[in-house]
Amino acid sequence: MNNIKIITEHWGKINPLKIEDYVSVGGYEALKEFIEKSDSEGALKEVKLSRLSGRGGAGFLTGVKWEMVSAQKGEKYFVCNLDESEPGTYKDRLIAENNPHLLLEGLVLSALTIGAKKSYIYLNGNYEKAKEVLARAILQAQERKFLGTKILSSKYSLEIEIFSGAGAYICGEETALLSSIEGNRGEPKMRPPYPTECGLFGKPTVVNNAETIASIPWIIQNGGKKYLKCATKLFVLGGSVKNMGVFEAPIATTIDEAITKLGGGMQDGKEFWFAQVGGASGGIYLEKELGGPILGSGAILVVDRTADIYDLLLSWTGFFRRESCGKCVPCREGTFRLHEIAERLVDGEIADRDKEALNDILWTLENTTFCPLGKFAATAVRNAIDKLGILK
Amino acid sequence: MQNNVTVEKILVSYDPEVQNLLPVLKKISAVFGFIGSKDAEIVAEYFGLSLAKICEVASFYDLIKTRKPANLEIKVCSSGDCALGSSAEIIQEIENYFRIKAGDEFNPKVRLEKNSCLGRCAEGPIMIVNGKVFEKVTVSSVHRILGEYV
Ligand SMILES: Cc1cc2nc3c(=O)[nH]c(=O)nc-3n(C[C@H](O)[C@H](O)[C@H](O)COP(=O)(O)O)c2cc1C
Ligand code: SF4
């Protein structure tokens, strides 16, 4: 594995509360370069060349998304998605807490490139420490003219506002997130029109994950071609591995490599059973299936043979029942019934009728819900039936 | 509760624009513990929105309460790492101790709920008591923690 660190390079080495620490390690140089050249088209070209894909789960190409919005005239918004409510995922929180200025520099570069003058950071409502750190960083960046009106005495201006969520997993979905800022229930909206055409307050809007944005300064400084060769991603390891936590590694890292090399392998005396990749909405991978890439949010939960699968089953179904936004019937009712049946299964009261219903409910969730949350709710349960045989 | 703070005083520090609605509701809920129907009416008038709209938004979010909280509000994380790390037993212990069930609302003094992930998985299992977060909770430490509240 190559050891290049694009996002975590300075974690723990610089004081996140001091902008001068970040500047002393070359921080805001990418922004200075951008302002000097005053070439947003060039910046967009580098991001496209880098083939940077979204780190929020869907993996959409960032350059393509930006191009759609930068081509449009008039008022636009750039939104940083730091809602991060996927269970087992806390990489974005650590980005904000350990090096907030890297995120801010990336955010300024991104917003200026697409031509936005206003940007929001949609922050998980439970992330209080990250909020303080970011708020302070914004003030410091304003004082140094990296942010605000006439950035570094140029024609560019940008205002960044932190918008705190209020505890709703669905608000990580981009259209729900925008509804939430607009003072509505955080329910997803019909797409198309996509946020890139009709987003926040009806204006073209780019929504990007915090990790995606934190990769931008490096790309602007080192070029997209170089990034393409050494792209990294943050992975969050949890469960029965020796080392829990957030690690940066090449994007092509396989599940197996992540567990053994980053996580240090299994804890002593524990035997691998399966890994759940991508948080509660992620699928289950058995030992023979660990050769593939790490999809979704980058979270890997390693489960050993001593685990009680019923605890996990109730954890998944309970989570989605709580977090279903209630907008569409298949998900609102489906997640509720799924949890009920899971409870009966755990209590040993499951009937044949339940087993049939379970199949119908899973199919409905997979195929008919308004937004992907419904599908997420079915994934792990379906895998647990097929691969772990929990109904047998 | 802070002295002399009223809903009106909170409102005047925000412009009546839609993007301020969620921050206002969060603030009122944090200061008074919940948003009562009178408060909701005042907010509706200030923003020029219907009362239904205010209630619809307020009731959507976990961090905004629309009912008076119990004296003791306990939440235990039941996601991923915490679930593997015995949060189910911790919940059972609390249920037995107070003779309540997670999610039930019959006891006006104590309420227990399962919580979604707070992103502190490496420090789990996580328990939140009246807003205060406790890390690495165990079946035995739960008694010591709750003992300080009852
Ligand atoms: C139910 C649901 C939850 C999501 N939660 C998040 C989240 O917490 N953070 C995030 O960045 N993206 C989340 N997404 C993905 C966003 O909708 C969106 O694709 C992403 O923010 C785009 O940024 P990216 O291209 O940089 O990944 C979620 C999607 C769904 C359907
Ligand atoms: S699938 Fe679930 S979360 Fe998505 S819109 Fe329907 S009810 Fe809401």
Side-chain angles (χ1 to χ4, degrees):
Chain A
M1 269 188 212
N2 78 30
N3 277 324
I4 194 156
K5 300 274 181 277
I6 290 172
I7 290 172
T8 58
E9 171 76 29
H10 303 298
W11 286 15
K13 295 182 207 150
I14 61 170
N15 183 341
L17 301 178
K18 289 189 176 155
I19 190 169
E20 52 278 21
D21 276 25
Y22 180 63
V23 169
S24 75
V25 293
Y28 289 107
E29 286 300 322
L31 179 63
K32 285 182 195 156
E33 198 182 311
F34 176 93
I35 296 284
E36 261 163 42
K37 284 198 208 147
S38 184
D39 177 16
S40 51
E41 258 165 53
L44 179 59
K45 206 179 111 213
E46 291 307 328
V47 174
K48 281 181 76 183
L49 272 177
S50 75
R51 299 192 63 76
L52 172 66
S53 58
R55 303 293 194 244
F60 195 80
L61 284 176
T62 306
V64 174
K65 196 191 279 187
W66 286 16
E67 196 168 33
M68 288 188 247
V69 172
S70 73
Q72 299 176 64
K73 295 217 160 31
E75 210 178 337
K76 308 167 199 178
Y77 293 98
F78 193 98
V79 177
C80 168
N81 189 344
L82 223 157
D83 188 51
E84 197 173 58
S85 322
E86 185 65 57
T89 313
Y90 48 96
K91 64 186 179 71
D92 299 342
R93 171 170 71 81
L94 293 192
I95 292 177
E97 288 178 0
N98 285 312
N99 195 356
H101 286 288
L102 177 69
L103 179 64
L104 288 187
E105 185 178 11
L107 194 48
V108 178
L109 286 166
S110 309
L112 298 187
T113 301
I114 65 144
K117 293 196 169 61
K118 171 98 196 199
S119 174
Y120 287 91
I121 299 175
Y122 192 99
L123 187 65
N124 181 320
N126 292 308
Y127 283 2
E128 274 160 25
K129 181 176 169 205
K131 186 175 179 181
E132 277 170 37
V133 176
L134 278 172
R136 190 170 166 142
I138 288 175
L139 287 179
Q140 292 170 340
Q142 276 166 346
E143 273 165 25
R144 296 212 176 194
K145 296 284 229 174
F146 295 134
L147 196 59
T149 42
K150 300 215 161 79
I151 294 170
L152 297 170
S153 310
S154 69
K155 60 176 182 180
Y156 294 106
S157 300
L158 180 72
E159 190 195 337
I160 296 182
E161 192 178 323
I162 300 173
F163 192 97
S164 259
Y169 170 65
I170 189 60
C171 287
E173 194 282 332
E174 56 185 12
T175 58
L177 182 156
L178 299 177
S179 304
S180 175
I181 300 181
E182 290 164 347
N184 296 317
R185 286 166 76 87
E187 288 174 358
K189 291 183 216 173
M190 187 59 120
R191 300 183 303 176
Y194 289 89
T196 44
E197 302 154 46
C198 178
L200 191 58
F201 306 119
K203 305 285 187 243
T205 303
V206 172
V207 181
N208 269 139
N209 172 259
E211 187 189 341
T212 314
I213 296 168
S215 310
I216 297 295
W218 197 95
I219 294 174
I220 299 293
Q221 265 200 310
N222 298 279
K225 261 208 184 114
K226 200 160 166 200
Y227 185 84
L228 188 56
K229 284 199 217 105
C230 58
T232 63
K233 160 109 193 69
L234 300 185
F235 300 111
V236 194
L237 280 148
S240 316
V241 283
K242 282 211 181 87
N243 319 316
M244 282 190 178
V246 173
F247 303 87
E248 182 169 8
I251 186 136
T253 302
T254 62
I255 306 170
D256 187 38
E257 285 170 336
I259 295 172
T260 50
K261 294 193 184 142
L262 307 175
M266 299 297 289
Q267 287 166 8
D268 293 334
K270 300 241 167 117
E271 193 193 339
F272 181 90
W273 188 10
F274 64 87
Q276 189 181 17
V277 179
S281 56
I284 287 173
Y285 295 80
L286 300 176
E287 195 141 23
K288 58 179 189 285
E289 303 169 315
L290 302 181
I294 299 159
L295 303 171
S297 68
I300 303 174
L301 181 70
V302 177
V303 182
D304 72 83
R305 291 266 170 202
T306 64
D308 185 345
I309 188 65
Y310 291 144
D311 282 347
L312 274 178
L313 185 66
L314 289 180
S315 164
W316 300 322
T317 56
F319 174 76
F320 287 107
R321 193 208 55 177
R322 271 197 308 280
E323 302 295 343
S324 166
C325 85
K327 177 172 177 138
C328 70
V329 177
C331 169
R332 185 178 66 223
E333 292 298 314
T335 52
F336 188 86
R337 297 296 171 205
L338 201 58
H339 186 58
E340 267 187 351
I341 295 179
E343 283 180 322
R344 283 206 286 276
L345 181 65
V346 173
D347 291 341
E349 292 169 4
I350 189 166
D352 285 343
R353 207 172 54 128
D354 280 333
K355 289 187 190 172
E356 271 168 44
L358 199 55
N359 257 325
D360 285 346
I361 293 169
L362 290 176
W363 185 90
T364 309
L365 285 169
E366 283 158 356
N367 293 290
T368 67
T369 59
F370 186 82
C371 88
L373 186 140
K375 217 177 257 168
F376 294 170
T379 309
V381 179
R382 171 73 82 195
N383 283 174
I385 294 172
D386 293 348
K387 298 184 183 180
L388 308 177
I390 56 167
L391 287 186
K392 283 191 197 122
Chain B
M1 200 188 295
Q2 285 156 264
N3 285 335
N4 307 325
V5 183
T6 60
V7 171
E8 286 84 353
K9 276 192 192 157
I10 293 174
L11 284 172
V12 290
S13 55
Y14 294 88
D15 292 329
E17 287 166 7
V18 283
Q19 69 268 35
N20 288 331
L21 182 57
L22 187 59
V24 160
L25 294 174
K26 248 181 97 171
K27 178 90 190 187
I28 296 174
S29 180
V31 171
F32 299 101
F34 73 114
I35 299 179
S37 52
K38 276 271 166 326
D39 302 339
E41 278 170 33
I42 300 170
V43 175
E45 189 167 337
Y46 185 73
F47 280 90
L49 297 166
S50 69
L51 180 59
K53 168 86 188 178
I54 304 299
C55 297
E56 168 189 304
V57 174
S59 62
F60 187 82
Y61 296 94
D62 284 355
L63 297 180
I64 299 172
K65 301 284 168 217
T66 49
R67 265 183 339 191
K68 195 170 182 319
N71 303 359
L72 190 56
E73 294 258 341
I74 309 165
K75 295 177 180 179
V76 178
C77 174
S78 63
S79 294
D81 273 291
C82 292
L84 288 177
S86 74
S87 79
E89 281 125 68
I90 293 168
I91 290 170
Q92 227 169 34
E93 193 71 19
I94 301 172
E95 287 181 334
N96 293 340
Y97 185 65
F98 289 110
R99 294 169 195 278
I100 51 175
K101 264 201 102 49
D104 276 356
E105 295 171 355
F106 303 124
N107 191 330
K109 297 215 178 87
V110 196
R111 236 174 252 151
L112 172 66
E113 272 175 60
K114 294 181 186 172
N115 205 63
S116 300
C117 184
L118 292 188
R120 302 192 185 202
C121 312
E123 284 85 41
I126 299 285
M127 176 167 81
I128 309 154
V129 185
N130 288 354
K132 189 168 175 213
V133 179
F134 295 88
E135 298 173 343
K136 294 201 186 294
V137 177
T138 62
V139 173
S140 52
S141 79
V142 92
H143 291 281
R144 189 166 35 77
I145 296 168
L146 292 176
E148 287 171 27
Y149 290 83
V150 286

